Amino acid sequence: AVNSCARFSHSPKASHAEGIKRICRYLQKTKDRGLVFRPYQSDLQVDCYVDSDFCGLFGVEDPEDPVSSRSRTGFVIYLGHCPVHWASKLQPLATLSTAEAEYVALAEAMKTLLPVRRIALAVAKGLSLKLNNSRVISKVFEDNQSCIAMARAPASSSRTRHINARYHFFKQHIGQETGIELFYLPSEHNVADTFTKPLGPEKFIYHTMRLMGWDSWPGDVPSAYKNKFAIWDSSLEREC
């Protein structure tokens, strides 16, 4: 939200001022809250949630502005169920489909995940932490089936050759033998969804509580939302 408002600092409008006020109200309400880190007793894991918003600005801003046709990448990396790195940024190129936008987002996330894994492994060995087969296990969650199929394919097809080679580099790192596995996760459970697009109240609260590690929301949460949280959580357990 801050990033989106900052893009119009050179020519702000009344709508941008309203957006900033809404951000300030959210910060005021959650000023006593922060990330909650809890002990994790199982094998050391470095997981990643990835999402993209395909051409999310098109039709909202000037359609003649090339920036409006660019998609947004969002991802968050967890170390032992605690978020340690996250990003939300426009992609450097205009993609041609939702699958391609997700693929570019996945490549951007992998560029950060790989060095984080190496650091985690070095720290784990130095502190004699528990590891599974001397490896750091990583699960990468993606909500687009076509993107997952493209990432798992051993070679690029004629339909993906136009994607810059720098976005294909991560394929060699996907697989059980490398310790990084790619999984499908529906959007309603993907916490990275909050980094790419505006969400309704119930999904925003649900994702924020999971992301921050909160047991409760600051203020009253309608009972209808609580019921949805219970349904989503039980479904998430079945998915993963």
Side-chain angles (χ1 to χ4, degrees), residues 7-225:
R7 293 182 56 244
F8 300 95
S9 58
H10 65 287
S11 181
K13 298 179 180 179
S15 58
H16 304 130
E18 289 299 318
I20 293 175
K21 290 179 182 178
R22 188 167 184 173
I23 293 172
C24 291
R25 287 196 296 268
Y26 170 77
L27 294 175
Q28 174 65 23
K29 188 174 182 179
T30 59
K31 63 182 179 181
D32 59 339
R33 294 297 188 100
L35 285 172
V36 178
F37 294 89
R38 295 185 174 88
Y40 188 62
Q41 302 298 330
S42 185
D43 293 334
L44 184 63
Q45 290 188 220
V46 181
D47 297 334
C48 182
Y49 293 80
V50 188
D51 190 35
S52 75
D53 183 26
F54 176 60
C55 294
L57 299 177
F58 190 79
V60 178
E61 301 180 5
D62 183 3
E64 301 299 325
D65 183 1
V67 176
S68 298
S69 63
R70 286 160 57 183
S71 304
R72 177 170 291 276
T73 289
F75 65 88
V76 56
I77 296 176
Y78 282 77
L79 176 60
H81 293 287
C82 296
V84 295
H85 184 90
W86 52 89
S88 176
K89 55 187 177 182
L90 289 177
Q91 295 181 355
L93 75 166
T95 51
L96 304 179
S97 66
T98 302
E100 186 176 332
E102 296 279 358
Y103 191 81
V104 172
L106 180 58
E108 293 292 333
M110 288 292 292
K111 284 196 295 187
T112 303
L113 177 64
L114 292 174
V116 170
R117 278 172 48 84
R118 288 194 292 268
I119 294 173
L121 181 59
V123 172
K125 288 183 177 180
L127 298 178
S128 300
L129 299 180
K130 183 180 180 182
L131 292 177
N132 183 7
N133 297 326
S134 299
R135 295 186 305 175
V136 176
I137 304 171
S138 291
K139 295 180 181 179
V140 180
F141 296 100
E142 169 61 52
D143 60 7
N144 187 280
Q145 297 276 27
S146 298
C147 172
I148 293 176
M150 291 163 56
R152 289 176 175 170
S156 301
S157 68
S158 59
R159 296 184 178 182
T160 59
R161 288 177 182 172
H162 65 282
I163 302 177
N164 196 306
R166 66 177 177 172
Y167 296 111
H168 291 302
F169 79 96
F170 69 88
K171 285 190 173 186
Q172 60 184 319
H173 300 285
I174 299 292
Q176 292 184 349
E177 65 280 358
T178 64
I180 303 177
E181 297 186 62
L182 191 58
F183 293 91
Y184 171 73
L185 187 68
S187 295
E188 63 187 23
H189 299 311
N190 193 345
V191 294
D193 209 32
T194 192
F195 291 98
T196 58
K197 60 184 75 69
L199 301 176
E202 66 275 11
K203 282 192 175 182
F204 177 78
I205 294 174
Y206 173 68
H207 286 319
T208 301
M209 289 177 64
R210 287 184 56 211
L211 182 66
M212 304 295 286
W214 295 349
D215 293 323
S216 62
W217 183 256
D220 295 331
V221 177
S223 57
Y225 292 175

